[in-house]
Amino acid sequence: MEHVIAARALMGTSLAFHIVFAALGVGLPLLVVAAEGLWLRTKRRAYYDLARTWAKGMAILFVVGAMSGTILSFELGLLWPTFMRYAGGIIGLPFSLEGFAFFIEAIFIGIYLYGWERLSPVAHWLSGLPIVLSGALSAAFVTTANAWMNMPAGFRIVNGTVVDIDPIAAMLSPPWLVEVLHTTLAAYVVTGFGAAAVCAFALVRRSAEDRREQVQAGLTIAMLVASIAIPLQWIVGDVIARFDADHEPAKFASLEVLFHTRRHAPITIGGIVSGDTVRYGIELPSALSLLVAFDPNAEVKGLDRVAPDDRPPVAAVHYSFDTMVGSASLLLLVAIVWTIVALRKRVPAKSLLIGIAVCGPISVVAMEAGWFVTEFGRQPWIARGLLRTSDAATVAPGVDVQLYGFSIVYVILAATCWWLLRRVGTKDHAA
Amino acid sequence: MTPVLGAALVGLTAVSLYAIFGGADFGGGVWDLFASGPRRQAQRDAISNAIGPVWESNHVWLIFAIVTLFTCFPPVFADIGANLSTPLTLALLGIVLRGAAFVFRNHAADTFATARSWTAVFGASSIIAPFFLGDAAGAIATGRYAWTSPFALSAGVFAVALCAQIAAVFLVRETSHDRALRDDFRRRAVRATVVVWIAGLVPALLAHQAEPGLFAALIGPVARIGIAIAMLLGIVVMLSIANHRDTLARVAVGAEALAVLAGWFGAQAPNLIPNSWTYQTAAASPAMLSAFLVATAIGALFLIPSLALLFFTFKGRGSGSDAALPPMTNP
């Protein structure tokens, strides 16, 4: 296997794996703290049991997230030494800050998980809050590094050397805010729908009748988080689309399969991408011009404005984008239906519960697809305009062996994690 | 203090704390693997209880060291990644499997077969990780990334022995509520200290034989002082263990690890990687170093009280003898 292909495959596999656990690591503490807070207020046993059950899941998921994150920190050096030589001194700051946030998270995870009997109830609940905050901050800091890769900033290049490094400007490169919001909201969307799906599944199957109250409380808390996060995510996504149209035209033209610069540009859904045409796609005339500039006559830049060597893999970007938007549409629909049902104080019908259960995996699909959009959409660059992915990869031998080795590790971790989480959900945890 | 020196001190602090606390957790895994005798299960429970609340934050010292390295000395990070990919990948596998295995086996404690397989993984990976980290460190010291050299391999063995020694000494105090159990770890601490002395001698002899540049540094003044202090502290560990001065033993064993590291880094200063990078030539721009140091100062404001709270809650006075410790299957 070619070095750069193997390195990309391994990094992609590692990130695709880690991102799920990282998202749950950001979102679950919020659900746990909410449940425990409700217990403190109402003293209803169901909330306490719910917090204990979710906290067990959090413990298992956190360790897999922390370990797969460790793999990534090594892989930055093992797979992309040239990139790190270049970029470490420019974009290292958010990683250092992320180090501190992760530290606080790990410390309070220890206190929270092992402190149920050692701390007073209120002190224990308070020890959960830093996990919520530092988890979100960790994700935010790391995302600013990704924003920098999309639009490198905070330095100048004079005669081939990097000068005038401004670490703060690098960390706050133009897309940082929208990317941070998009990533953090994704974590709450995935955790909300994920946890709700588990509860809905149990209600449909009637597999937890002895703990029905607990499961219903879990469904409500999780769906509340999901139903707040998903509409916000749509708004941020819309802002990012316009941002990309202005600042990342190659990515934007790829995800919208716009090969030629034109006015009255259409939105194309689906279709078969071959060469520089799309066939059988559903076209919404002028919709893209409207979306970008609120004017059907507006000109939208196509891939013809991008040098052939600098174009992303259009089909991969486009299909990922459609997958993300399609999945997110379903999530939004289910969230709206649930909200109406909940506001009318009705009990969710079986069909709605099935819909929620389906949304669990769909939300993960949406997140992974969104991440594919931003990563494939930046190719062939690892840092856009600065360093090509093919020039950044290691030339050390054995990357393909590492790829197979770590793939096996991921399968084992995921399988064990799944098995343990199922036990957490089914075992009686009244004690 | 120059920014380069400041960044170097932050990085070395992270490495040292990882060596002591992360090392103790790996050593716990080693003793888990070698748990024996009538109190085999009690030994394992004591190890689990000692590691449980703290190992994840101890692990973050490694992440912090890595991040400091690539932020402040990026070319060194790149060269290490490019040249030591095999031992580092193996160390990484050990680190990852150790962490996952520890949590998995505790959550599966009621299913015998599964818990036993993950216990085996936990023990084995607790040896693999420090061995290859020590091997990589030895390879860096050779100045040519010779990770298969006898010197580097013997440094790996030394690292495992050191972890086991630190863990045994720490576990003596963690088990102060149970005399028989405490004596188990007392014996282990004494044996491990002897092994550390022997395992420490081997790399020196091998360096004398095959690594002339390294040996010259080892008999230089800085390394000599470091080695002498480390050996003295080893004696202190022995004596205080024998005289039931458990807290003193704890401090001494930590200081011993520090002396080893200080001797090593002191001997090769101002080189960060012998023959290729000094702290100065590898340093990132002054703007980055300053930003990093400011970020570290702010971060420390949050980190230090949090760490204090963690250790006060679980390792404070008398917490080791707390019989009401929640069972490990129920964290």
Side-chain angles (χ1 to χ4, degrees), chain A residues 271-339:
Chain A
I272 295 169
V273 182
S274 64
D276 56 358
T277 49
V278 200
R279 278 177 298 168
Y280 313 120
I282 304 166
E283 278 201 9
L284 312 176
S286 302
L288 196 59
S289 295
L290 259 175
L291 177 98
V292 168
F294 305 108
D295 170 11
N297 197 32
E299 186 183 87
V300 182
K301 279 178 239 160
L303 278 164
D304 53 356
R305 295 284 176 87
V306 182
D309 283 349
D310 295 347
R311 287 180 198 165
V314 178
V317 181
H318 176 61
Y319 294 138
S320 303
F321 180 74
D322 280 0
T323 306
M324 173 184 76
V325 176
S327 314
S329 306
L330 181 68
L331 299 181
L332 183 66
L333 179 73
V334 170
I336 290 171
V337 173
W338 178 83
T339 307

Coordinates of all heavy atoms in Angstrom, one line a residue, chain A residues 271-339:
Chain A
G271 N -27.8 11.9 -7.4 CA -27.2 11.8 -8.7 C -26.0 11.0 -8.8 O -25.5 10.5 -7.7
I272 N -25.5 10.7 -10.0 CA -24.3 10.0 -10.2 C -23.2 10.9 -10.7 O -23.4 11.5 -11.8 CB -24.5 8.8 -11.1 CG1 -25.5 7.8 -10.5 CG2 -23.2 8.1 -11.4 CD1 -26.0 6.8 -11.4
V273 N -22.1 11.1 -9.9 CA -21.0 11.9 -10.3 C -20.1 11.1 -11.2 O -19.6 10.1 -10.8 CB -20.3 12.5 -9.1 CG1 -19.2 13.5 -9.5 CG2 -21.3 13.2 -8.2
S274 N -19.8 11.6 -12.5 CA -18.8 11.0 -13.3 C -18.1 12.0 -14.1 O -18.7 12.8 -14.7 CB -19.4 9.9 -14.2 OG -20.3 10.5 -15.1
G275 N -16.8 12.1 -13.9 CA -16.0 13.1 -14.6 C -16.5 14.5 -14.0 O -16.5 14.6 -12.8
D276 N -16.8 15.4 -14.9 CA -17.3 16.7 -14.4 C -18.8 16.9 -14.7 O -19.2 18.0 -15.1 CB -16.4 17.8 -14.8 CG -16.3 17.9 -16.3 OD1 -16.8 17.1 -17.0 OD2 -15.6 18.9 -16.7
T277 N -19.6 15.8 -14.6 CA -21.0 15.9 -14.8 C -21.7 15.1 -13.7 O -21.1 14.2 -13.1 CB -21.5 15.4 -16.1 OG1 -20.9 14.1 -16.3 CG2 -21.1 16.3 -17.3
V278 N -23.0 15.5 -13.4 CA -23.8 14.7 -12.5 C -25.0 14.3 -13.3 O -25.6 15.1 -14.0 CB -24.3 15.6 -11.4 CG1 -24.8 14.7 -10.2 CG2 -23.3 16.6 -10.9
R279 N -25.3 13.0 -13.3 CA -26.5 12.6 -14.0 C -27.6 12.1 -13.0 O -27.2 11.6 -11.9 CB -26.2 11.5 -15.0 CG -25.7 12.0 -16.3 CD -25.3 10.9 -17.2 NE -24.2 10.1 -16.6 CZ -23.8 8.9 -17.1 NH1 -24.5 8.4 -18.1 NH2 -22.9 8.2 -16.5
Y280 N -28.8 12.2 -13.3 CA -29.9 11.7 -12.6 C -30.1 12.4 -11.2 O -30.8 11.8 -10.3 CB -29.8 10.2 -12.3 CG -29.5 9.4 -13.6 CD1 -28.3 8.7 -13.7 CD2 -30.3 9.5 -14.7 CE1 -28.0 8.0 -14.8 CE2 -30.0 8.8 -15.9 CZ -28.8 8.0 -15.9 OH -28.5 7.4 -17.1
G281 N -29.4 13.5 -11.0 CA -29.6 14.2 -9.7 C -30.9 15.0 -9.7 O -31.5 15.3 -10.8
I282 N -31.5 15.3 -8.6 CA -32.7 16.1 -8.5 C -32.2 17.6 -8.5 O -31.5 18.0 -7.5 CB -33.5 15.8 -7.2 CG1 -33.9 14.4 -7.2 CG2 -34.7 16.7 -7.2 CD1 -34.4 13.9 -5.9
E283 N -32.6 18.4 -9.4 CA -32.1 19.8 -9.5 C -33.2 20.7 -9.0 O -34.3 20.7 -9.4 CB -31.7 20.2 -10.9 CG -30.3 19.7 -11.2 CD -29.7 20.5 -12.4 OE1 -30.3 21.5 -12.8 OE2 -28.6 20.0 -12.9
L284 N -32.8 21.6 -8.1 CA -33.7 22.7 -7.6 C -33.2 24.0 -8.3 O -32.2 24.5 -7.8 CB -33.7 22.8 -6.1 CG -33.9 21.5 -5.3 CD1 -33.8 21.8 -3.8 CD2 -35.2 20.9 -5.6
P285 N -33.9 24.4 -9.3 CA -33.3 25.6 -10.1 C -33.1 26.8 -9.3 O -33.9 27.1 -8.4 CB -34.4 25.8 -11.2 CG -35.3 24.6 -11.2 CD -35.1 24.0 -9.8
S286 N -31.9 27.4 -9.5 CA -31.6 28.7 -8.8 C -31.4 28.6 -7.3 O -31.2 29.6 -6.6 CB -32.5 29.8 -9.2 OG -32.6 30.0 -10.6
A287 N -31.7 27.5 -6.7 CA -31.8 27.4 -5.3 C -30.4 27.7 -4.6 O -30.4 28.3 -3.6 CB -32.2 26.0 -4.8
L288 N -29.3 27.3 -5.3 CA -28.0 27.5 -4.7 C -27.7 29.0 -4.7 O -27.1 29.5 -3.7 CB -27.0 26.8 -5.4 CG -25.6 26.6 -4.7 CD1 -25.8 25.9 -3.4 CD2 -24.6 25.8 -5.6
S289 N -28.0 29.7 -5.8 CA -27.8 31.2 -5.8 C -28.6 31.8 -4.7 O -28.1 32.7 -4.0 CB -28.2 31.7 -7.2 OG -27.3 31.2 -8.2
L290 N -29.8 31.4 -4.5 CA -30.7 31.9 -3.5 C -30.0 31.7 -2.1 O -30.0 32.6 -1.2 CB -32.0 31.3 -3.5 CG -33.2 32.1 -4.2 CD1 -34.4 31.2 -4.2 CD2 -33.4 33.4 -3.4
L291 N -29.6 30.5 -1.9 CA -29.0 30.1 -0.6 C -27.8 30.9 -0.3 O -27.6 31.4 0.9 CB -28.7 28.6 -0.6 CG -28.0 28.1 0.7 CD1 -29.1 27.4 1.5 CD2 -26.9 27.1 0.3
V292 N -26.9 31.1 -1.3 CA -25.7 31.8 -1.0 C -25.8 33.3 -0.9 O -25.2 33.9 0.0 CB -24.7 31.5 -2.2 CG1 -23.4 32.3 -2.1 CG2 -24.3 30.0 -2.1
A293 N -26.6 33.9 -1.7 CA -26.7 35.3 -1.7 C -28.1 35.9 -1.6 O -28.3 37.1 -1.8 CB -26.0 35.9 -3.0
F294 N -29.1 35.0 -1.4 CA -30.5 35.5 -1.3 C -30.9 36.1 -2.6 O -31.8 37.0 -2.6 CB -30.7 36.4 -0.1 CG -30.3 35.8 1.2 CD1 -29.1 36.3 1.9 CD2 -31.0 34.7 1.8 CE1 -28.7 35.7 3.0 CE2 -30.6 34.2 3.0 CZ -29.4 34.7 3.6
D295 N -30.3 35.7 -3.7 CA -30.6 36.3 -5.0 C -30.5 35.3 -6.1 O -29.4 34.7 -6.3 CB -29.6 37.5 -5.3 CG -29.7 38.0 -6.7 OD1 -30.7 37.7 -7.4 OD2 -28.8 38.8 -7.1
P296 N -31.6 34.9 -6.8 CA -31.5 33.8 -7.8 C -30.5 34.1 -8.9 O -30.0 33.2 -9.6 CB -32.9 33.7 -8.3 CG -33.6 35.0 -7.9 CD -32.9 35.5 -6.7
N297 N -30.2 35.4 -9.1 CA -29.3 35.8 -10.2 C -27.9 35.8 -9.8 O -27.0 36.1 -10.6 CB -29.8 37.1 -10.7 CG -29.2 37.4 -12.1 OD1 -29.0 36.5 -12.8 ND2 -28.9 38.7 -12.3
A298 N -27.6 35.5 -8.5 CA -26.2 35.6 -8.0 C -25.3 34.6 -8.7 O -25.7 33.5 -9.0 CB -26.2 35.5 -6.5
E299 N -24.0 35.0 -8.8 CA -23.1 34.0 -9.4 C -22.5 33.2 -8.3 O -22.1 33.7 -7.2 CB -22.0 34.8 -10.1 CG -21.0 33.9 -10.9 CD -19.9 34.7 -11.5 OE1 -18.9 34.9 -10.8 OE2 -20.0 35.1 -12.7
V300 N -22.4 31.9 -8.6 CA -21.7 31.0 -7.6 C -20.5 30.4 -8.3 O -20.6 29.9 -9.4 CB -22.7 29.9 -7.1 CG1 -22.0 29.0 -6.1 CG2 -24.0 30.5 -6.6
K301 N -19.4 30.4 -7.5 CA -18.1 29.9 -8.1 C -18.2 28.4 -8.2 O -18.5 27.7 -7.2 CB -16.9 30.3 -7.2 CG -16.5 31.7 -7.5 CD -15.3 32.1 -6.6 CE -15.7 33.3 -5.7 NZ -14.9 33.5 -4.5
G302 N -17.8 27.9 -9.4 CA -17.7 26.4 -9.6 C -16.3 25.9 -9.5 O -15.4 26.6 -9.3
L303 N -16.2 24.6 -9.7 CA -14.9 23.9 -9.7 C -14.0 24.4 -10.8 O -12.8 24.2 -10.7 CB -15.0 22.4 -9.7 CG -15.4 21.8 -8.3 CD1 -15.9 20.4 -8.5 CD2 -14.2 21.8 -7.4
D304 N -14.5 25.0 -11.9 CA -13.7 25.5 -12.9 C -12.8 26.6 -12.5 O -11.8 27.0 -13.1 CB -14.5 25.9 -14.2 CG -15.6 26.9 -13.8 OD1 -15.8 27.2 -12.5 OD2 -16.3 27.4 -14.7
R305 N -13.1 27.2 -11.3 CA -12.2 28.3 -10.8 C -11.1 27.7 -9.9 O -10.3 28.4 -9.4 CB -13.0 29.2 -9.9 CG -14.1 30.0 -10.6 CD -13.5 31.2 -11.4 NE -14.5 31.9 -12.2 CZ -15.2 32.9 -11.7 NH1 -15.0 33.3 -10.5 NH2 -16.1 33.5 -12.5
V306 N -11.1 26.4 -9.8 CA -10.1 25.7 -8.9 C -9.1 24.9 -9.9 O -9.6 24.2 -10.8 CB -10.7 24.8 -7.9 CG1 -9.6 24.1 -7.0 CG2 -11.7 25.5 -7.1
A307 N -7.8 25.1 -9.7 CA -6.9 24.4 -10.5 C -7.1 22.9 -10.4 O -7.4 22.4 -9.3 CB -5.4 24.7 -10.1
P308 N -7.0 22.2 -11.5 CA -7.4 20.7 -11.5 C -6.6 20.0 -10.4 O -7.2 19.1 -9.8 CB -6.9 20.2 -12.9 CG -7.0 21.5 -13.8 CD -6.6 22.6 -12.9
D309 N -5.4 20.3 -10.2 CA -4.6 19.6 -9.1 C -5.1 19.9 -7.7 O -4.7 19.2 -6.8 CB -3.1 20.0 -9.2 CG -2.4 19.3 -10.4 OD1 -3.1 18.4 -10.9 OD2 -1.3 19.6 -10.7
D310 N -5.9 21.0 -7.6 CA -6.3 21.4 -6.2 C -7.7 21.0 -5.9 O -8.3 21.5 -5.0 CB -6.1 22.9 -6.1 CG -4.7 23.3 -6.2 OD1 -3.8 22.4 -6.1 OD2 -4.4 24.5 -6.3
R311 N -8.3 20.2 -6.8 CA -9.7 19.9 -6.6 C -9.9 18.7 -5.6 O -9.2 17.7 -5.7 CB -10.4 19.5 -7.9 CG -10.6 20.8 -8.7 CD -11.3 20.5 -10.1 NE -11.1 21.6 -11.0 CZ -11.2 21.6 -12.3 NH1 -11.7 20.5 -12.8 NH2 -11.0 22.7 -13.0
P312 N -10.9 18.8 -4.7 CA -11.2 17.6 -3.9 C -11.8 16.5 -4.6 O -12.3 16.7 -5.8 CB -12.2 18.2 -2.9 CG -12.2 19.7 -3.1 CD -11.8 19.9 -4.5
P313 N -11.9 15.3 -4.0 CA -12.6 14.2 -4.7 C -14.1 14.5 -4.6 O -14.8 14.3 -3.6 CB -12.3 13.0 -3.8 CG -11.9 13.6 -2.5 CD -11.3 14.9 -2.7
V314 N -14.7 15.0 -5.7 CA -16.0 15.6 -5.7 C -17.1 14.6 -5.3 O -17.9 15.0 -4.5 CB -16.3 16.1 -7.2 CG1 -17.7 16.7 -7.2 CG2 -15.3 17.2 -7.6
A315 N -17.0 13.4 -5.8 CA -18.1 12.5 -5.5 C -18.2 12.2 -4.0 O -19.3 12.2 -3.4 CB -17.9 11.2 -6.3
A316 N -17.0 12.0 -3.4 CA -17.0 11.6 -2.0 C -17.6 12.8 -1.2 O -18.3 12.6 -0.2 CB -15.6 11.3 -1.5
V317 N -17.2 14.0 -1.5 CA -17.7 15.2 -0.8 C -19.2 15.3 -0.9 O -19.9 15.5 0.0 CB -16.9 16.5 -1.2 CG1 -17.4 17.7 -0.4 CG2 -15.4 16.3 -1.1
H318 N -19.6 15.2 -2.2 CA -21.1 15.4 -2.5 C -21.9 14.3 -1.8 O -22.9 14.6 -1.1 CB -21.3 15.3 -4.0 CG -22.7 15.4 -4.4 ND1 -23.5 16.5 -4.1 CD2 -23.5 14.6 -5.1 CE1 -24.7 16.3 -4.6 NE2 -24.8 15.1 -5.1
Y319 N -21.5 13.1 -1.9 CA -22.4 12.0 -1.3 C -22.3 12.1 0.2 O -23.4 11.9 0.9 CB -21.9 10.6 -1.7 CG -22.0 10.3 -3.2 CD1 -21.0 9.7 -3.9 CD2 -23.2 10.7 -3.8 CE1 -21.2 9.4 -5.2 CE2 -23.4 10.4 -5.2 CZ -22.4 9.8 -5.9 OH -22.5 9.6 -7.2
S320 N -21.2 12.5 0.8 CA -21.1 12.7 2.3 C -22.0 13.8 2.7 O -22.8 13.7 3.7 CB -19.7 13.0 2.7 OG -18.8 12.0 2.3
F321 N -22.0 14.9 1.9 CA -22.9 16.1 2.2 C -24.3 15.7 2.2 O -25.1 16.0 3.1 CB -22.6 17.2 1.2 CG -23.4 18.4 1.5 CD1 -23.1 19.2 2.6 CD2 -24.4 18.8 0.6 CE1 -23.8 20.4 2.8 CE2 -25.2 19.9 0.9 CZ -24.9 20.7 2.0
D322 N -24.7 15.0 1.1 CA -26.1 14.6 1.0 C -26.5 13.6 2.1 O -27.7 13.7 2.6 CB -26.4 13.9 -0.4 CG -26.6 15.0 -1.5 OD1 -26.5 16.2 -1.2 OD2 -26.8 14.6 -2.6
T323 N -25.6 12.8 2.5 CA -25.9 11.9 3.6 C -26.1 12.6 4.9 O -27.1 12.4 5.7 CB -24.7 10.9 3.8 OG1 -24.5 10.2 2.6 CG2 -25.0 9.9 4.9
M324 N -25.2 13.6 5.1 CA -25.3 14.5 6.3 C -26.7 15.2 6.4 O -27.4 15.1 7.3 CB -24.2 15.5 6.4 CG -24.3 16.5 7.5 SD -23.0 17.7 7.6 CE -23.5 18.8 6.2
V325 N -27.0 15.9 5.3 CA -28.2 16.7 5.2 C -29.5 15.8 5.3 O -30.4 16.1 6.0 CB -28.3 17.6 4.0 CG1 -29.6 18.3 3.9 CG2 -27.1 18.5 4.0
G326 N -29.4 14.7 4.6 CA -30.6 13.8 4.6 C -30.8 13.2 6.0 O -31.9 13.2 6.5
S327 N -29.7 12.8 6.7 CA -29.9 12.2 8.0 C -30.3 13.3 9.0 O -31.2 13.1 9.8 CB -28.5 11.7 8.5 OG -27.9 10.9 7.6
A328 N -29.8 14.5 8.9 CA -30.1 15.6 9.8 C -31.6 16.0 9.6 O -32.3 16.4 10.5 CB -29.2 16.8 9.5
S329 N -32.1 15.8 8.3 CA -33.5 16.2 8.1 C -34.4 15.2 8.9 O -35.4 15.6 9.5 CB -33.9 16.0 6.6 OG -33.0 16.8 5.8
L330 N -34.1 13.9 8.9 CA -34.9 12.9 9.6 C -34.8 13.3 11.1 O -35.8 13.2 11.8 CB -34.3 11.5 9.3 CG -35.1 10.4 10.1 CD1 -36.5 10.3 9.5 CD2 -34.3 9.1 10.0
L331 N -33.6 13.6 11.6 CA -33.5 13.9 13.0 C -34.3 15.1 13.4 O -35.0 15.1 14.4 CB -32.0 14.3 13.3 CG -30.9 13.2 13.1 CD1 -29.6 13.7 13.5 CD2 -31.3 11.9 13.9
L332 N -34.3 16.1 12.5 CA -35.1 17.3 12.8 C -36.6 17.0 12.8 O -37.3 17.4 13.7 CB -34.9 18.4 11.7 CG -35.6 19.7 11.9 CD1 -35.0 20.4 13.2 CD2 -35.4 20.7 10.7
L333 N -37.1 16.2 11.9 CA -38.5 15.8 11.8 C -38.9 15.1 13.1 O -39.9 15.4 13.7 CB -38.7 14.9 10.6 CG -40.1 14.4 10.4 CD1 -41.0 15.5 9.9 CD2 -40.1 13.2 9.4
V334 N -38.1 14.1 13.5 CA -38.4 13.3 14.7 C -38.4 14.2 15.9 O -39.3 14.1 16.8 CB -37.5 12.1 14.9 CG1 -37.7 11.5 16.2 CG2 -37.7 11.1 13.8
A335 N -37.5 15.2 16.0 CA -37.4 16.1 17.1 C -38.6 17.0 17.2 O -39.2 17.2 18.3 CB -36.1 16.9 17.1
I336 N -39.1 17.4 16.0 CA -40.3 18.3 16.0 C -41.5 17.5 16.5 O -42.3 17.9 17.3 CB -40.5 18.9 14.6 CG1 -39.4 19.9 14.3 CG2 -41.9 19.5 14.5 CD1 -39.4 20.3 12.8
V337 N -41.7 16.3 15.9 CA -42.8 15.5 16.3 C -42.8 15.2 17.8 O -43.8 15.3 18.5 CB -42.8 14.1 15.5 CG1 -43.9 13.2 16.1 CG2 -43.0 14.4 14.1
W338 N -41.6 14.8 18.3 CA -41.5 14.5 19.8 C -41.9 15.8 20.6 O -42.6 15.7 21.6 CB -40.1 14.1 20.1 CG -40.0 13.8 21.6 CD1 -40.4 12.7 22.3 CD2 -39.5 14.7 22.6 NE1 -40.1 12.9 23.6 CE2 -39.6 14.1 23.9 CE3 -39.0 16.0 22.6 CZ2 -39.2 14.7 25.1 CZ3 -38.6 16.7 23.8 CH2 -38.7 16.0 25.0
T339 N -41.4 17.0 20.2 CA -41.6 18.2 20.9 C -43.1 18.5 21.0 O -43.7 18.8 22.0 CB -40.9 19.4 20.3 OG1 -39.5 19.0 20.1 CG2 -41.0 20.6 21.1

